Amino acid sequence: MPACVSLRQMCEMEVQKKCNVDQVKRLQAEIQDLNGHFTLLHILNEWKLAERRADCDVYSFLYGSLLLEVVFDTDAGEGPDERNILDINFKLELHEEKSECHARLVHTLVSDFINGQSPWVGKYLSSRCVPKLLHDVALVVSRLRLLGEEVRRLRTWGCLKFNISDIRCVGKRVHIVFSSLEAMAEFELSLAVTMAYPCSPLQLQDFKNHIGSTSVRRLEEIVSSVSPDKNHLTRIVKAIHAAVHS
């Protein structure tokens, strides 16, 4: 009888061991999956916590070139986990001379957004409001960062895809020179961009025709026909290229 009990216990232990091994494997797979999601979110997140002090948190945006400082009142608050916000400061750390023109454009438009808001502390009163503050800033920064990436791609590949011989950012304008031997056309134009990009139309400015029959009226029609949406600038460039070669 004792031998039978021992054998049964051994079988039960083997079954339990197999169940435990399977559970460990499932947990390891879940951990790996969660780590993958965490890594992806870390990449996609527009902000990162750069510094944390007793009375202040500092968050970085735009690859560390924009800093958001939130200063807390450590002696006031409704509870131990809530602190009143004393001040909200932004610092743009872009080297004007060494930076690319599309980065300067993005920083100029971000600066417009920052300066155009009502007093920040009046909108975000306590530490409970910090997630909303980060979300609101990230929404604008994300849109304008994507604009900068659009300009960078057009500067890199525009000559091959859209016959762009030159593209640069001056102030809040994107200046583009189109040149096509096939279409016997060469002209330059500027598109004015606002901090609301890509949700607002781009304005055609400073058109100059060098070769061919391209007119400012025709370009205005093309620009206005492209509705504001994702990759707005690129879609306008693509439409202009298509019209020139039609």
Side-chain angles (χ1 to χ4, degrees), residues 82-143:
E82 182 176 6
R83 296 174 292 172
N84 293 331
I85 294 177
L86 292 180
D87 202 4
I88 298 174
N89 303 307
F90 291 88
K91 186 176 182 182
L92 295 168
E93 296 187 335
L94 187 72
H95 196 294
E96 289 292 330
E97 296 179 357
K98 295 182 179 180
S99 61
E100 298 285 345
C101 70
H102 61 270
R104 294 196 297 271
L105 171 65
V106 171
H107 271 246
T108 298
L109 296 175
V110 168
S111 181
D112 285 350
F113 162 68
I114 293 171
N115 296 327
Q117 299 299 302
S118 58
W120 287 88
V121 177
K123 296 175 63 176
Y124 309 94
L125 302 176
S126 72
S127 54
R128 288 187 180 182
C129 301
V130 170
K132 177 170 172 51
L133 167 63
L134 294 171
H135 174 74
D136 292 347
V137 175
L139 282 179
V140 177
V141 168
S142 175
R143 290 191 285 101

Side-chain angles (χ1 to χ4, degrees), residues 7-144:
L7 180 61
R8 185 179 63 189
Q9 288 176 338
M10 289 178 63
C11 291
E12 291 175 351
M13 290 174 63
E14 285 295 327
V15 171
Q16 186 62 45
K17 177 181 177 181
K18 185 178 183 304
C19 291
N20 290 341
V21 170
D22 291 341
Q23 185 176 12
V24 168
K25 288 181 179 179
R26 286 196 300 271
L27 290 173
Q28 289 175 336
E30 290 178 7
I31 290 172
Q32 185 176 0
D33 187 49
L34 289 172
N35 285 336
H37 285 299
F38 180 80
T39 301
L40 180 61
L41 288 173
H42 185 71
I43 293 172
L44 295 178
N45 201 11
E46 291 292 337
W47 59 267
K48 293 177 175 58
L49 179 62
E51 184 180 359
R52 170 158 285 171
R53 301 194 297 269
D55 63 341
C56 175
D57 288 345
V58 180
Y59 302 90
S60 68
F61 297 79
L62 293 174
Y63 314 107
S65 64
L66 170 63
L67 298 179
L68 165 59
E69 181 185 65
V70 184
V71 182
F72 298 104
D73 182 358
T74 56
D75 297 326
E78 296 181 359
D81 297 327
E82 182 176 6
R83 296 174 292 172
N84 293 331
I85 294 177
L86 292 180
D87 202 4
I88 298 174
N89 303 307
F90 291 88
K91 186 176 182 182
L92 295 168
E93 296 187 335
L94 187 72
H95 196 294
E96 289 292 330
E97 296 179 357
K98 295 182 179 180
S99 61
E100 298 285 345
C101 70
H102 61 270
R104 294 196 297 271
L105 171 65
V106 171
H107 271 246
T108 298
L109 296 175
V110 168
S111 181
D112 285 350
F113 162 68
I114 293 171
N115 296 327
Q117 299 299 302
S118 58
W120 287 88
V121 177
K123 296 175 63 176
Y124 309 94
L125 302 176
S126 72
S127 54
R128 288 187 180 182
C129 301
V130 170
K132 177 170 172 51
L133 167 63
L134 294 171
H135 174 74
D136 292 347
V137 175
L139 282 179
V140 177
V141 168
S142 175
R143 290 191 285 101
L144 298 178

